[in-house]
């Protein structure tokens, strides 16, 4: 920290007859009072310390937000996001065995909510953990191999297949805010 010293005014500033200005002349280390400079310096240090504390608090909050969400089937969890000023929730639903060239409609168990984004999910083979497809699944080579995933009335999930997909079970995540 710099220890400022008072300066002494030798001659004040003045306006000359020709309109020019003669600046003030000081003798000493600085033209300002030392107590004012020391106070400004102390205030600056306090603000820097306060900013440091705020930065550390923000870093901690970022770490908390980066923590993975522990999603458990059938339980709602906060996603850490807000939509329209409301807390967003996620719920994982096991929809069971996928249909054989037909449709499957499953209740989410939710009511009085508003969807915030499309559902996400996956279809897992019942016999091979290595065989997984995203839901919805779109096969660009064969449209009949695709699996649609929709949210429909009464807060339900609809899955439609055009082939036998009964060797797979489905897991779907839905995202919503409460009304």
């Amino acid at each position: 920290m710099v220890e400022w010293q008072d300066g002494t005014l030798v001659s004040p500033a003045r306006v000359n007859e020709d309109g020019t200005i003669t600046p003030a002349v000081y003798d000493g280390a600085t033209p300002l009072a030392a107590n004012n400079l020391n106070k400004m310096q102390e205030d600056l240090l306090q603000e820097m310390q306060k900013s440091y504390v705020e930065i550390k608090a923000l870093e901690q909050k970022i770490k908390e937000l980066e923590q993975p969400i522990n999603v458990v089937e059938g339980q709602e969890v906060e996603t850490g996001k807000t939509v329209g000023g409301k807390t967003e929730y996620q719920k994982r639903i096991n929809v069971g065995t996928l249909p054989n060239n037909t449709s499957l409609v499953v209740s989410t168990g939710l009511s009085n909510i508003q969807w915030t984004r499309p559902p996400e999910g996956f279809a897992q083979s019942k016999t091979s953990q290595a065989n997984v497809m995203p839901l919805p699944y779109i096969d660009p080579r064969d449209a009949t191999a695709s699996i649609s995933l929709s949210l429909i009335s009464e807060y339900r999930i609809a899955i439609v297949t055009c082939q036998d997909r009964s060797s797979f079970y489905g897991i779907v995540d839905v995202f919503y805010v409460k009304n």
Side-chain angles (χ1 to χ4, degrees), residues 25-147:
V25 177
Y26 290 87
D27 181 31
T30 180
L32 295 174
N35 62 339
N36 288 340
L37 289 172
N38 287 329
K39 176 68 172 127
M40 287 190 298
Q41 186 170 264
E42 288 172 13
D43 291 346
L44 183 59
L45 285 173
Q46 285 177 351
E47 287 301 315
M48 288 170 58
Q49 289 169 344
K50 190 163 63 169
S51 294
Y52 177 79
V53 169
E54 290 171 354
I55 288 169
K56 287 300 179 188
L58 287 172
E59 287 175 349
Q60 180 60 35
K61 185 69 174 172
I62 289 169
K63 282 183 184 177
E64 290 171 11
L65 291 174
E66 289 175 340
Q67 294 298 318
I69 299 171
N70 183 21
V71 179
V72 178
E73 279 183 21
Q75 295 180 6
E76 73 178 15
V77 294
E78 292 183 11
T79 64
K81 298 179 181 180
T82 58
V83 177
K86 295 179 180 180
T87 301
E88 183 186 54
Y89 295 91
Q90 174 181 356
K91 185 175 181 181
R92 177 161 286 179
I93 299 162
N94 185 333
V95 297
T97 300
L98 296 186
N100 177 359
N101 192 21
T102 186
S103 63
L104 170 69
V105 176
V106 177
S107 173
T108 62
L110 298 168
S111 63
N112 201 28
I113 55 104
Q114 184 177 19
W115 304 120
T116 56
R117 47 183 149 148
E120 300 173 2
F122 62 92
Q124 174 74 57
S125 169
K126 292 179 180 179
T127 58
S128 170
Q129 294 297 311
N131 195 358
V132 178
M133 293 182 288
L135 289 178
Y137 173 68
I138 299 170
D139 189 327
R141 296 165 297 166
D142 181 3
T144 64
S146 300
I147 305 171

Side-chain angles (χ1 to χ4, degrees), residues 142-169:
D142 181 3
T144 64
S146 300
I147 305 171
S148 74
L149 171 63
S150 306
L151 296 171
I152 62 172
S153 63
E154 300 176 9
Y155 310 104
R156 297 175 298 164
I157 297 168
I159 297 175
V160 179
T161 65
C162 293
Q163 291 184 0
D164 183 1
R165 295 296 188 176
S166 61
S167 62
F168 289 85
Y169 67 90

